[in-house]
Amino acid sequence: GAGVSQSPSNKVTEKGKDVELRCDPISGHTALYWYRQSLGQGLEFLIYFQGNSAPDKSGLPSDRFSAERTGGSVSTLTIQRTQQEDSAVYLCASSSGTGNSPLHFGNGTRLTVT
Amino acid sequence: QKEVEQDPGPLSVPEGAIVSLNCTYSNSAFQYFMWYRQYSRKGPELLMYTYSSGNKEDGRFTAQVDKSSKYISLFIRDSQPSDSATYLCAPIKAAGNKLTFGGGTRVLVKP
């Protein structure tokens, strides 16, 4: 595709439920990132995948959060037992992974936990 | 203290004015500097990418880096209502793999 695609664009869920957010990066991009943006806040790094290397999970806020990237392409961010403080926009980005190549972002998934 | 600081704004200017945006950082390991623009309900899009101290121009946009002061700026000349957005600065380390974002400055250009 032409850009990074994320689905769903909006998700409303009840507290305690699990949610899965999907990211389809730009074709050929080896690096994939998840960020979280809370209302009026900057972007908070969550997790980074680069090729076949072990992911950098240093930004995941708790063990309720996990992510996987299958076949080096599509990624899924899973939040278990959602809490109200998980409400935010979850942004996915990809890059070519070479040097300090810039990130290309999707439009995010707006998650609301009621 | 956050690693990257920006005034949240909003910064309101009349159409045609110069917009001046600033960003400070504390980590001297940051060597590359990016500016992203984010429209409401959209993902950030790369606007400028610079490495060295000094100025870099791209159309109506100029990015300025002063590594000695850990201070970066973005100037928008002849501002347009379509420039109304949030501008995020994002430095990265030379051997880094993830951007550290400032909180962003919201800009409103009034016709």
Side-chain angles (χ1 to χ4, degrees):
Chain A
V4 176
S5 179
Q6 291 188 247
S7 62
S9 54
N10 286 282
K11 176 72 176 179
V12 180
T13 190
E14 292 180 353
K15 177 181 172 181
K17 301 283 190 184
D18 298 351
V19 293
E20 284 189 353
L21 312 180
R22 176 189 167 101
C23 173
D24 199 345
I26 292 173
S27 179
H29 277 189
T30 59
L32 187 147
Y33 304 75
W34 284 97
Y35 282 83
R36 177 168 71 175
Q37 188 173 34
S38 302
L39 187 64
Q41 301 296 311
L43 277 72
E44 174 190 6
F45 168 78
L46 297 177
I47 189 169
Y48 160 68
F49 296 89
Q50 172 58 57
N52 295 321
S53 301
D56 177 352
K57 304 179 182 180
S58 59
L60 294 178
S62 78
D63 58 8
R64 296 186 295 105
F65 288 73
S66 63
E68 63 177 20
R69 189 179 185 191
T70 53
S73 180
V74 172
S75 177
T76 302
L77 177 69
T78 302
I79 309 173
Q80 295 179 310
R81 305 181 302 283
T82 51
Q83 303 296 310
Q84 287 188 328
E85 60 263 29
D86 299 334
S87 296
V89 177
Y90 290 82
L91 290 158
C92 175
S94 69
S95 78
S96 65
T98 57
N100 304 99
S101 49
L103 276 60
H104 300 266
F105 283 86
N107 286 327
T109 293
R110 185 173 299 271
L111 176 66
T112 303
V113 181
T114 60
Chain B
Q1 182 189 6
K2 294 181 180 178
E3 277 193 299
V4 184
E5 299 264 16
Q6 289 184 261
D7 187 324
L11 178 62
S12 184
V13 300
E15 183 176 356
I18 294 175
V19 177
S20 175
L21 302 169
N22 304 308
C23 176
T24 59
Y25 62 95
S26 57
N27 193 334
S28 57
F30 290 140
Q31 296 294 319
Y32 297 85
F33 305 91
M34 303 182 197
W35 283 96
Y36 280 79
R37 177 175 63 194
Q38 186 175 23
Y39 291 113
S40 179
R41 294 186 174 267
K42 297 289 187 182
E45 56 180 332
L46 182 67
L47 203 56
M48 297 283 283
Y49 182 7
T50 186
Y51 167 70
S52 57
S53 283
N55 293 352
K56 179 178 180 180
E57 251 185 62
D58 185 358
R60 297 185 296 111
F61 299 90
T62 300
Q64 195 172 76
V65 176
D66 182 347
K67 290 185 179 179
S68 63
S69 301
K70 299 188 180 67
Y71 191 88
I72 54 179
S73 302
L74 179 70
F75 301 97
I76 308 173
R77 290 185 300 280
D78 187 23
S79 58
Q80 305 294 310
S82 59
D83 295 326
S84 298
T86 297
Y87 291 81
L88 301 153
C89 70
I92 188 171
K93 300 173 187 176
N97 56 23
K98 57 181 181 269
L99 298 176
T100 302
F101 284 87
T105 299
R106 186 169 163 232
V107 172
L108 298 171
V109 181
K110 297 185 176 180

